[in-house]
Amino acid sequence: MAVRCFTDVTIGFPSGGGRPGTERTSPSTTWVIWTTGELRLDSASFALFFTPAKSARGSLAAKPLGCLLKAEPMAPAHPGEAHSFIATTNDAVHCVMRLGFARPGDEEAFVALAQAAEVAGAKRFFGDSHGRRSSVGRASMAPAEHSGVCDELAMHIRQLHPDKWLALTFGGCELYGPQPGGDPSIEVLLGRGAVALLDPKDVDRVGNFEIVFYDEGSAEPMFRAAIGPRTHLMQQPQDDRTGRLSVASRRLSARPAGAGTAFDFSPNGTDVLALSFDDETVGDSFARDLTVRIKLAALSQKTWRGKDAMAGLQ
């Protein structure tokens, strides 16, 4: 494992913290300088570790900072001042930080590693732009590795929707539906990745919710629809063999009890898709959060119609 060490690095965090979903900064962002010390960057995993200088080591311990995703240069505040960089990582607490380097050579080396990290991240999550990656390989992942992929895919989804509140994402999900360009009665696996619920930041637009599905091999959502009163979700019983038996439920029937769950899903009351979750707890959480938004959308529509009717009587 090749680790690059940068000494005399100054590190700071945005005032108020940098949590996942708040990665965007502006020139007016207030930065709080934490300390100066040694920054270590693993060139294979792009993991960052920061060790405070010896003078401060008595009160500050070494801190892991997650894996580097990208870095953008900051314009110097004064002529001749060294450049600083806004680094984004997958750290659960501080995913945005300001890094200042004492030597130009260190700046150049860090920029090269940051560019490599961004390219590696794009290839890992979005694959080849000419075709969707197969989901077959995901089934053989170790639990820890699979969990890491789900977490990082969730973070990428949140970065793609900065106009929404922190997206609720549910990984380990497979989307099933009619065969594209084929027999609509034949249900096939369309993709594997994560489904997310998007809430508007505009507080005056209550009920304007969306659901999206991102395949691990695509930069664009494979499925996107508004959540409304006609949106329907129904869990598929594993022991039901009398009615419609989807590919998703057949897949679940081979699993031990509790190892996953599947739902019939219709965004508009007509088109029927299926969502299968590897983890039953994740599936239950998705069903609960989606149901809440369906009810809120119905209430919002009812309120709007009431106001419209009152306006018509005036």
Side-chain angles (χ1 to χ4, degrees), residues 172-190:
C173 178
E174 293 179 342
L175 175 67
Y176 295 83
Q179 183 178 22
D183 188 343
S185 65
I186 299 178
E187 188 180 65
V188 298
L189 173 64
L190 300 176

Side-chain angles (χ1 to χ4, degrees), residues 1-300:
M1 178 176 66
V3 177
R4 180 63 189 262
C5 296
F6 303 93
T7 57
D8 302 321
V9 176
T10 300
I11 183 170
F13 300 102
S15 178
R19 296 173 298 277
T22 61
E23 293 87 350
R24 291 180 178 269
T25 59
S26 67
S28 62
T29 298
T30 301
W31 294 92
V32 179
I33 302 302
W34 181 42
T35 186
T36 300
E38 179 186 74
L39 180 72
R40 288 175 290 156
L41 175 55
D42 177 14
S43 60
S45 65
F46 301 105
L48 285 170
F49 298 89
F50 186 84
T51 304
K54 291 182 179 179
S55 59
R57 208 174 275 174
S59 58
L60 299 174
K63 180 178 179 64
L65 300 173
C67 296
L68 180 66
L69 301 177
K70 64 178 180 179
E72 300 175 348
M74 292 181 63
H78 306 285
E81 185 181 55
H83 285 83
S84 293
F85 298 86
I86 299 176
T88 303
T89 74
N90 65 354
D91 186 71
V93 179
H94 297 291
C95 65
V96 182
M97 63 202 69
R98 175 177 176 173
L99 300 174
F101 295 86
R103 288 168 286 276
D106 287 347
E107 291 180 0
E108 295 174 2
F110 177 76
V111 167
L113 288 169
Q115 291 174 343
E118 191 166 1
V119 171
K123 288 182 177 179
R124 179 175 183 182
F125 296 108
F126 301 137
D128 186 350
S129 61
H130 298 290
R132 185 176 64 82
R133 291 191 302 178
S134 170
S135 65
V136 175
R138 296 299 179 195
S140 60
M141 275 189 173
E145 182 182 2
H146 176 67
S147 177
V149 170
C150 290
D151 290 343
E152 295 185 35
L153 179 58
M155 183 176 56
H156 275 272
I157 293 175
R158 290 164 181 165
Q159 290 175 338
L160 292 172
H161 297 279
D163 58 325
K164 307 293 184 180
W165 287 117
L166 190 63
L168 294 178
T169 59
F170 306 88
C173 178
E174 293 179 342
L175 175 67
Y176 295 83
Q179 183 178 22
D183 188 343
S185 65
I186 299 178
E187 188 180 65
V188 298
L189 173 64
L190 300 176
R192 176 176 175 82
V195 63
L197 302 177
L198 307 179
D199 298 346
K201 286 187 176 180
D202 188 352
V203 295
D204 295 326
R205 302 182 66 183
V206 178
N208 187 29
F209 308 114
E210 290 184 283
I211 181 172
V212 294
F213 179 88
Y214 277 87
D215 181 74
E216 291 175 1
S218 176
E220 298 296 327
M222 176 170 288
F223 170 80
R224 184 170 189 169
I227 298 172
R230 298 181 63 190
T231 301
H232 180 70
L233 185 75
M234 184 175 66
Q235 187 172 13
Q236 297 180 358
Q238 293 190 27
D239 57 353
D240 181 11
R241 296 293 181 268
T242 59
R244 169 181 172 270
L245 185 61
S246 72
V247 174
S249 59
R250 289 201 300 271
R251 180 175 181 272
L252 287 175
S253 66
R255 297 178 178 175
T261 186
F263 299 88
D264 284 331
F265 170 71
S266 175
N268 51 20
T270 55
D271 300 329
V272 179
L273 303 170
L275 295 168
S276 171
F277 294 89
D278 294 340
D279 190 306
E280 187 173 1
T281 302
V282 173
D284 290 344
S285 298
F286 165 76
R288 178 198 62 213
D289 292 333
L290 177 60
T291 300
V292 169
R293 283 156 180 78
I294 293 174
K295 291 180 178 180
L296 285 173
L299 179 61
S300 176

